[in-house]
Amino acid sequence: MGGQKFQYDESGGTFFYFILSFLALILIPATFYFWPRKKKEDPDLKRENCNCEPCLRKRATMEHSDPYKGAKELLIKLSIVAGWALLTFLTYKVSQFDYEMSNFDPYEILGVPLGSSQKDIKKAYRTLSVILHPDKETGDEKAFMKLTKAYQALTDDEARKNWEKYGNPDGPGATSFGIALPSWIVEKENSVWVLGLYALVFMVALPIVVGTWWYRSIRYSGDKVLLDTTNMYWYFFHKTPQMQVKRVIMILAASFEFDKRHNNQVIERQSDNDEVPALIRQLPNLNEKCKELPFSRGYSLKARAILHAHLSRIPVKENTLELDRQLIVRKCPYLIQEMVSCVSHLIMLAYARKIQRLPTIETIENCMKLSPMVMQGLWEFKHPILQLPHLTEDIRQYMLRKFNVRNLQQLAQLKPDQSRTALRSLSDEQYANVVKVLGRMPLIDFNMKCEVVDDENSNVVTAGAIVTVTVELVRRSMSELFGDATAKEKQGIAESNENGEGEGDADGELEVTDEKQDPKQQTKKQPVWQPKPGKGPYKGKSKGAQKNRRIAAAAAAAAAAAATAAAAQTQAAKGSHPGEKKEKASKQSQKAGGGDRKAAGPDEMESDAESGVESENDASDAAADDDDEWEKFQQKINKREKLEGRSKVSHPVHCPLFPEEKHEYWWTYICDRKSRTMLTVPYHVTNLIHREEVQLKFTAPRWAGVYVFTVCLRSDSYFGMDQQLELKLDVKDPAAIPTEHPQWDISESESDHNEMQANDSEFTTDSSDGEDEGTTKKMD
């Protein structure tokens, strides 16, 4: 048997095969994914786009946002073309390799059949040698060498036997394993350069790349926010539990994303020394003289001034502050979401008694309000109709006086002739833009369902139970309301004032409140279900009040027990199923008569057929319950799968002052307006295209009673789209633990039989044997 031999590829054939395979493996998918393609513009979508001046300017800015886009596309095309050219060259190179000797067949070369005689072989050789000799005009040197080797292999008896036995005239050869590397890599004179290249790649370049990636990744959270910024949010929101919108703007402007030392994208110019002070003089209530850090720093003051100018729609200088405005506004959605997340965590920590100060609901709602303010470039006190293009305050006042239009939904419900009359100051093109934008705005059908999951009666809420509120969101377009005056108006969110009462009634009309109130009345009300500070739940009350509360609680417990007993008796006498009624009546009669079976009366005498029908009905009811449980389980799995694959694509938002394309997102949560507290963490809905369901869970109050909570829906992109629903929760006392049950009643014979079975153990011990013997002797 031949030996084995490892050798490097001296001729380069194997290496070319390796490079060819590796290049094809990379080049084919790279061409498919990275070849630049022009986006096909949808003509219908282009017609639906708003053509107002800010929108046209925004689209032009987005197209030129990457100045090196053309150079990048050209470089990618050249790289892919060069790769395919190299692949073609390698394919041609490999095809020219001479591997014919590996399939050496002397009979085929001489053109004689297998087993020919020496005479025929010599004759064929002479004929072909005259034609293929190099000195002849038809000569071929390579073919003549192969012909000569074939003649020698067949004329030599030993070589002919070796070929017929081993397929090689020289006999069995060594098994060769080629390594697909060129020979110059292992040559002695090139060893220093090869080792240097390995050291440069694996000891210098790779650690630098990994270290740079790690340093950048640990500075940011999962939402692309600097950890230093997140820590600052935690500090200020914990320091000030109740925060106004302007204070939230100050904290937002102080984010380290706007500082040159933390973000290389920030540009500091010499012209800022003149332009920023001039801008500050145009802005009232900027609080530029604040000495608190980091609000007094230069980057924070500049960002705050640009944000105030953005919300006031004050134009800033092109190519300088306008570029800074785009950078700041572009970062705001991530930062605002981080603010909401920080306040939510602080509320949860306060409920868990980890921190002392509980942030109020106004703080987190003011953070949410800031998102549509930044998207639309409007202050919170501005009217939602001003989000539409070309509309001004004068036009809004005219629509209010003429047609009593107070919100966007009422404007959409106007008839076409009334709508054109209300917007008569606009040109036809401007009116078309208004109709386009209004028709694409969202109209959300907001519904909810409250239940206690995994409970026997899911509709009954007991004290301390986990309540699950399933919120259903159905997204429609405002264009469905055009000309429809019968559509019901959505109920907006009634904000909480400092007394914890809603500022608006059910119709959404604001109530006039007196700003000068007694400071004692401005104290925060604590939710009823939260335990009072101190040792007991009634600390701070007088002893008489505590005694009265205890007496009332005992009386309520006694009344509940009596009601439970009466209900049990009534159900026993008026059972829904005949079998249940008679069985329960018989059990009660057995208890009353001290176990006398005759006291049950004729109710004991039931036919076997009727009991069989009742058992079949019970089995069918149990099967139906199992099917319902299985369907609920499947719904939970589907919801969990939806949440795991949640996307961030919904419907585009009309926001001409925001430098990028924005999609509609929503917050939904449950709160208590009276105590000004949150019951659930705001859930961020990012994939509402047509319909979406969200589950909000919270713990029911600890005391029985009727509670009124509010389920809220807020938009992070539009004003006037917020809605609320009233959640009335009737909390019951938990049912008493049963101490007796008919199934637990065991007759004397059954108990004796069970005791005998318990004594008969499967495994006999010495002690049990002794006891058995003693018992036998006594019986004898």
Side-chain angles (χ1 to χ4, degrees):
M1 181 177 178
Q4 295 182 352
K5 180 181 180 182
F6 289 88
Q7 62 181 3
Y8 282 88
D9 185 19
E10 299 293 341
S11 61
T14 311
F15 178 69
F16 278 122
Y17 269 109
F18 171 74
I19 292 296
L20 182 65
S21 304
F22 185 76
L23 185 60
L25 188 64
I26 295 178
L27 194 59
I28 294 174
T31 305
F32 180 76
Y33 286 106
F34 296 107
W35 184 265
R37 303 178 182 88
K38 290 185 178 181
K39 295 183 179 179
K40 295 182 179 179
E41 295 184 359
D42 189 0
D44 296 334
L45 183 62
K46 190 174 182 180
R47 286 193 302 267
E48 293 177 358
N49 287 335
C50 177
N51 294 322
C52 63
E53 184 179 354
C55 288
L56 295 176
R57 191 185 310 117
K58 174 183 176 178
R59 286 196 285 269
T61 303
M62 291 177 61
E63 291 177 358
H64 299 86
S65 59
D66 190 0
Y68 303 103
K69 183 178 180 180
K72 291 180 181 178
E73 291 182 354
L74 180 61
L75 182 61
I76 292 174
K77 289 182 179 180
L78 291 177
S79 301
I80 293 176
V81 170
W84 280 105
L86 180 59
L87 184 67
T88 305
F89 171 75
L90 292 176
T91 305
Y92 173 76
K93 186 77 173 176
V94 169
S95 65
Q96 297 299 315
F97 289 156
D98 187 10
Y99 290 109
E100 296 181 3
M101 294 302 294
S102 60
N103 299 323
F104 178 74
D105 187 357
Y107 291 101
E108 181 180 357
I109 296 174
L110 290 171
V112 295
L114 187 65
S116 299
S117 61
Q118 295 289 337
K119 181 178 179 181
D120 296 335
I121 293 172
K122 293 179 181 180
K123 182 179 179 181
Y125 172 73
R126 285 195 297 268
T127 304
L128 292 175
S129 63
V130 174
I131 301 173
L132 299 177
H133 197 278
D135 296 339
K136 303 293 182 178
E137 294 181 358
T138 58
D140 187 351
E141 185 177 359
K142 291 184 178 181
F144 184 75
M145 292 177 61
K146 291 172 64 178
L147 180 65
T148 303
K149 188 174 182 180
Y151 175 74
Q152 293 176 355
L154 294 180
T155 54
D156 188 354
D157 295 336
E158 184 177 357
R160 187 170 181 175
K161 291 180 180 180
N162 288 334
W163 184 88
E164 292 177 352
K165 185 176 181 180
Y166 301 107
N168 190 351
D170 300 328
T175 304
S176 177
F177 297 89
I179 300 176
L181 290 176
S183 59
W184 58 268
I185 290 182
V186 293
E187 291 179 355
K188 186 176 182 180
E189 56 271 15
N190 298 331
S191 59
V192 178
W193 299 103
V194 173
L195 290 176
L197 181 62
Y198 270 88
L200 183 64
V201 172
F202 293 101
M203 299 180 65
V204 179
L206 187 61
I208 290 176
V209 171
V210 174
T212 305
W213 169 81
W214 177 251
Y215 174 73
R216 291 181 179 178
S217 62
I218 61 175
R219 295 175 60 214
Y220 293 90
S221 64
D223 295 330
K224 305 178 183 178
V225 178
L226 289 169
L227 294 180
D228 295 337
T229 301
T230 303
N231 294 333
M232 183 190 67
Y233 292 165
W234 279 84
Y235 170 76
F236 281 108
F237 285 114
H238 179 257
K239 178 182 177 182
T240 310
Q242 184 173 355
M243 192 174 295
Q244 300 300 324
V245 175
K246 289 186 178 180
R247 179 73 173 181
V248 177
I249 295 176
M250 292 180 67
I251 297 176
L252 177 64
S255 303
F256 293 104
E257 276 78 1
F258 308 140
D259 190 359
K260 176 69 175 177
R261 295 173 297 179
H262 294 80
N263 187 1
N264 295 328
Q265 297 178 352
V266 177
I267 301 176
E268 294 180 353
R269 308 176 186 85
Q270 189 67 26
S271 60
D272 292 344
N273 298 328
D274 299 328
E275 295 176 0
V276 174
L279 180 61
I280 292 175
R281 287 191 291 269
Q282 302 179 39
L283 302 171
N285 303 323
L286 187 62
N287 198 10
E288 67 273 11
K289 295 182 180 180
C290 178
K291 301 299 182 182
E292 186 180 4
L293 292 176
F295 306 134
S296 60
R297 299 187 184 275
Y299 81 91
S300 177
L301 184 59
K302 176 183 176 181
R304 187 159 75 249
I306 291 176
L307 279 176
H308 276 253
H310 172 73
L311 297 177
S312 302
R313 296 191 175 183
I314 297 176
V316 294
K317 192 172 182 180
E318 296 286 343
N319 300 325
T320 53
L321 292 183
E322 175 61 24
L323 299 178
D324 297 334
R325 185 196 70 83
Q326 295 178 8
L327 175 63
I328 292 172
V329 173
R330 190 182 296 112
K331 295 285 185 180
C332 284
Y334 305 103
L335 300 176
I336 294 173
Q337 176 60 26
E338 187 69 16
M339 283 184 171
V340 174
S341 178
C342 290
V343 180
S344 302
H345 282 85
L346 287 173
I347 292 175
M348 295 298 105
L349 290 175
Y351 285 159
R353 303 297 181 88
K354 300 296 183 181
I355 59 176
Q356 297 295 327
R357 300 177 179 179
L358 173 65
T360 61
I361 190 174
E362 289 85 0
T363 302
I364 191 169
E365 286 186 340
N366 287 335
C367 294
M368 297 180 188
K369 290 178 187 176
L370 190 55
S371 182
M373 289 169 57
V374 173
M375 290 298 109
Q376 301 298 332
L378 288 172
W379 286 100
E380 60 173 336
F381 51 81
K382 293 294 184 179
H383 201 277
I385 290 182
L386 298 180
Q387 298 173 104
L388 299 176
H390 312 298
L391 294 190
T392 60
E393 187 65 28
D394 295 336
I395 298 176
R396 189 192 71 82
Q397 292 290 345
Y398 173 76
M399 289 191 297
L400 180 62
R401 292 193 307 268
K402 188 72 175 177
F403 299 98
N404 195 26
V405 175
R406 298 179 179 273
N407 50 44
L408 293 169
Q409 184 173 344
Q410 292 178 358
L411 177 59
Q413 290 177 332
L414 290 178
K415 296 181 180 179
D417 54 347
Q418 294 178 342
S419 176
R420 190 66 186 95
T421 304
L423 302 174
R424 61 181 182 178
S425 60
L426 302 180
S427 63
D428 293 340
E429 183 180 359
Q430 292 175 342
Y431 176 74
N433 290 333
V434 173
V435 173
K436 289 177 184 178
V437 175
L438 181 61
R440 295 178 62 182
M441 282 188 170
L443 180 66
I444 306 298
D445 293 335
F446 184 38
N447 300 307
M448 67 173 182
K449 181 180 69 174
C450 179
E451 60 182 349
V452 179
V453 183
D454 299 333
D455 201 353
E456 294 181 357
N457 193 350
S458 60
N459 297 324
V460 176
V461 180
T462 58
I466 303 299
V467 182
T468 301
V469 178
T470 303
V471 177
E472 181 186 19
L473 305 177
V474 179
R475 202 266 187 197
R476 298 186 294 156
S477 297
M478 198 75 74
S479 58
E480 298 181 13
L481 296 180
F482 284 172
D484 184 9
T486 61
K488 186 178 179 181
E489 188 172 347
K490 305 295 182 181
Q491 181 180 352
I493 293 181
E495 305 293 343
S496 300
N497 56 20
E498 294 185 356
N499 288 330
E501 299 175 355
E503 293 182 357
D505 56 7
D507 296 333
E509 297 179 359
L510 298 179
E511 295 179 353
V512 180
T513 56
D514 188 7
E515 295 181 358
K516 297 181 180 179
Q517 298 175 351
D518 188 3
K520 295 181 180 179
Q521 298 179 357
Q522 298 181 5
T523 58
K524 181 181 66 174
K525 294 183 180 179
Q526 190 172 2
V528 182
W529 64 88
Q530 290 186 1
K532 303 294 187 297
K535 298 181 180 179
Y538 305 111
K539 186 173 182 179
K541 305 284 184 179
S542 63
K543 294 183 178 179
Q546 295 182 17
K547 184 177 180 180
N548 294 335
R549 293 290 295 272
R550 287 195 294 269
I551 293 173
T564 305
Q569 294 178 1
T570 304
Q571 186 178 6
K574 301 179 180 180
S576 58
H577 297 284
E580 293 180 0
K581 180 184 73 174
K582 294 172 182 178
E583 182 181 358
K584 292 178 181 178
S586 64
K587 296 294 182 180
Q588 290 178 359
S589 62
Q590 288 177 15
K591 291 181 183 179
D596 188 4
R597 296 183 61 86
K598 294 182 180 180
D603 291 340
E604 286 283 344
M605 308 299 295
E606 286 294 329
S607 64
D608 295 336
E610 186 177 355
S611 62
V613 172
E614 291 171 2
S615 62
E616 290 179 359
N617 293 335
D618 294 340
S620 62
D621 294 340
D625 295 339
D626 293 340
D627 293 339
D628 294 339
E629 293 294 333
W630 176 253
E631 290 179 359
K632 291 181 179 179
F633 179 71
Q634 291 293 335
Q635 290 178 359
K636 290 180 183 179
I637 293 178
N638 295 334
K639 290 178 181 178
R640 189 179 300 113
E641 291 176 353
K642 288 183 180 178
L643 291 177
E644 290 176 355
R646 194 157 54 109
S647 65
K648 292 189 176 182
V649 177
S650 56
H651 294 268
V653 178
H654 177 263
C655 47
L657 297 181
F658 188 72
E660 291 181 348
E661 185 179 3
K662 176 69 171 61
H663 287 259
E664 298 172 2
Y665 299 155
W666 306 84
W667 284 294
T668 179
Y669 56 93
I670 304 175
C671 64
D672 185 6
R673 291 293 175 189
K674 292 183 179 180
S675 61
R676 300 158 62 195
T677 53
M678 299 282 292
L679 272 69
T680 64
V681 175
Y683 186 90
H684 203 203
V685 183
T686 60
N687 56 344
L688 179 58
I689 299 178
H690 301 293
R691 181 181 177 276
E692 192 67 25
E693 282 189 359
V694 176
Q695 286 188 349
L696 304 176
K697 298 183 179 181
F698 66 96
T699 304
R702 297 173 54 186
W703 315 109
V706 179
Y707 300 87
V708 179
F709 302 135
T710 306
V711 184
C712 300
L713 176 69
R714 284 189 179 273
S715 173
D716 75 333
S717 306
Y718 290 110
F719 285 107
M721 302 296 175
D722 303 338
Q723 298 183 40
Q724 72 175 19
L725 294 175
E726 188 179 88
L727 174 61
K728 185 174 291 186
L729 210 62
D730 188 5
V731 180
K732 306 291 185 181
D733 287 323
I737 300 176
T739 58
E740 294 182 359
H741 196 275
Q743 295 180 355
W744 300 345
D745 295 338
I746 304 176
S747 61
E748 295 180 358
S749 60
E750 291 179 352
S751 62
D752 295 340
H753 180 67
N754 293 336
E755 289 179 0
M756 293 177 63
Q757 287 183 347
N759 292 332
D760 294 340
S761 175
E762 181 180 358
F763 304 98
T764 306
T765 59
D766 296 336
S767 60
S768 62
D769 293 340
E771 292 176 357
D772 293 341
E773 292 176 359
T775 305
T776 305
K777 290 179 180 179
K778 289 180 180 179
M779 292 177 63
D780 294 338

